[in-house]
Amino acid sequence: MIGKEQKNTTVPTADLDFLRIFLPYELRLAQRQAMVSSSRSIDGAPSSCLGLYLVRLEPKSGDWFPTPADGGTQIGDHIQDMLVEVVRDSDIPIRMSDQEHLAILRDLDPQQTYAVSQRFLTCASDSDLLQAANLRTRLGYVIYPLSSQPNFPPSQWETIIELTRRMSAFGEPSSRASGNGLLRGPDTVSYTHLTLPTKIKWWGGGGGGGG
């Protein structure tokens, strides 16, 4: 208990105000790093990317989510603890609300984009607290940049967050925890679907414009 209290006081919880200031700069940096690393690689693919993973808790029945006094704060703390457990200490968990959380993974190896999703979904599926609260875990993620011309306006960062939210909505109706994501493939933007027990399916999507 003492260790947990010390962790909470030494590592402040990032929130939406932090996101408004921080994310436009991080998107701009990811664009620059992608262009530089792509120009140096043989296949033209970036060697690092920015991962945005949104966790959304969904009632298994109805639309009621516990208020802070009824356990919502405890559940939000639980999600933050799980995020800290599965991401690196250089990554940033953000508490958007008790029901929605975001993790920003910086300088992410494109080959490791599944690992975070799978680790978190395993933790969520095994969580007795989420099971007792009758909550499903929905995870949506976007691996940025999505195109070979990363020119998406950083000032429109909320659009990317909304995209992660939309991806989280495609979860399996009967699954305790599932995830969906968008990431850049060799020639297209690819869509991945994960659920537990883990199974991965691929669909190719249109590359579209810059992003």
Side-chain angles (χ1 to χ4, degrees):
M1 180 62 71
I2 294 177
K4 183 176 181 180
E5 290 174 353
Q6 289 176 344
K7 181 176 68 173
N8 290 339
T9 57
T10 57
V11 183
T13 301
D15 56 15
L16 278 173
D17 289 336
F18 171 86
L19 197 62
R20 293 186 184 99
I21 297 172
F22 168 80
L23 191 52
Y25 291 99
E26 197 67 20
L27 290 174
R28 190 172 290 111
L29 178 61
Q31 291 173 347
R32 184 176 298 112
Q33 289 178 329
M35 289 188 291
V36 171
S37 62
S38 296
S39 67
R40 296 173 177 172
S41 65
I42 297 176
D43 59 0
S47 59
S48 67
C49 54
L50 181 68
L52 297 98
Y53 293 73
L54 184 133
V55 176
R56 182 173 57 85
L57 299 178
E58 178 182 274
K60 291 182 180 179
S61 61
D63 56 4
W64 180 83
F65 185 84
T67 65
D70 290 331
T73 298
Q74 180 185 3
I75 292 170
D77 291 343
H78 182 55
I79 296 298
Q80 285 289 304
D81 288 342
M82 286 195 292
L83 284 174
V84 169
E85 181 179 339
V86 302
V87 303
R88 303 162 301 180
D89 57 8
S90 59
D91 300 324
I92 304 175
I94 296 171
R95 188 175 191 146
M96 302 173 71
S97 68
D98 289 336
Q99 192 169 4
E100 279 194 342
H101 301 255
L102 184 73
I104 297 179
L105 276 63
R106 314 165 76 187
D107 196 24
L108 177 65
D109 183 341
Q111 302 301 318
Q112 298 297 317
T113 55
Y114 298 117
V116 175
S117 298
Q118 291 173 330
R119 288 199 300 265
F120 184 82
L121 290 175
T122 298
C123 289
S125 182
D126 293 340
S127 169
D128 293 334
L129 178 60
L130 296 181
Q131 179 71 3
N134 204 33
L135 294 171
R136 293 190 183 94
T137 302
R138 298 291 180 247
L139 187 147
Y141 65 92
V142 171
I143 305 304
Y144 185 85
L146 290 171
S147 78
S148 58
Q149 296 180 339
N151 54 9
F152 185 82
S155 61
Q156 297 181 24
W157 60 270
E158 290 175 296
T159 302
I160 298 180
I161 301 301
E162 181 59 29
L163 183 57
T164 64
R165 186 177 289 114
R166 295 289 182 89
M167 296 308 299
S168 74
F170 292 106
E172 292 283 348
S174 59
S175 174
R176 291 177 61 176
S178 62
N180 301 271
L182 286 175
L183 63 159
R184 180 185 173 187
D187 301 305
T188 64
V189 173
S190 299
Y191 166 70
T192 67
H193 170 74
L194 300 95
T195 189
L196 292 179
T198 302
K199 59 180 179 180
I200 302 175
K201 302 177 182 178
W202 284 86
W203 292 265

